Amino acid sequence: MSRTCELTAKAVQTGNNVSHANNKTKRRFLPNLVNVTLISEVLNQNVRLRISANALRSVEHRGGLDAFLAKADAKDLSQRARLLKKQIAKKLAEQPAA
């Protein structure tokens, strides 16, 4: 399982540890990934995703998974998230505009 957020494409970054003597050694900056179950109101189902804590805040801020995926750029999403986005868009298009 890769260390990449499924919604924002945040991944591992590399950099240096810098000592007091200015010695540099390679290190990795890992994203804060959490396993969460989000509810899709349009599809009436629970979705398990591995996303960053920052993405979880963004999902809640935008009003849920459906609203986040509607506004998200498809190139940042994982394959599973792209499929969810298509399913949600299709379901919304089927509903009458009442």
Side-chain angles (χ1 to χ4, degrees):
M1 185 180 291
S2 66
R3 295 180 194 255
T4 305
C5 175
E6 293 191 66
L7 296 181
T8 59
K10 282 184 186 244
V12 177
Q13 293 182 328
T14 59
N16 290 316
N17 277 332
V18 181
S19 70
H20 186 67
N22 208 25
N23 296 330
K24 295 172 182 72
T25 56
K26 285 292 187 185
R27 63 161 292 181
R28 298 171 73 197
F29 294 95
L30 303 178
N32 184 11
L33 296 179
V34 290
N35 293 315
V36 295
T37 302
L38 298 172
I39 300 168
S40 172
E41 296 166 356
V42 174
L43 300 176
N44 292 326
Q45 68 182 19
N46 295 335
V47 181
R48 287 186 50 84
L49 295 170
R50 190 168 189 224
I51 63 175
S52 64
N54 191 341
L56 183 57
R57 287 178 49 129
S58 298
V59 167
E60 291 176 3
H61 177 74
R62 289 208 182 142
L65 180 63
D66 301 335
F68 181 89
L69 288 175
K71 203 169 186 182
D73 194 4
K75 68 178 172 62
D76 290 336
L77 301 174
S78 68
Q79 194 66 31
R80 286 181 54 214
R82 282 186 200 141
L83 178 64
L84 275 172
K85 182 175 175 158
K86 283 183 184 178
Q87 289 174 346
I88 290 169
K90 183 177 178 184
K91 191 84 163 188
L92 287 173
E94 289 175 357
Q95 293 177 350

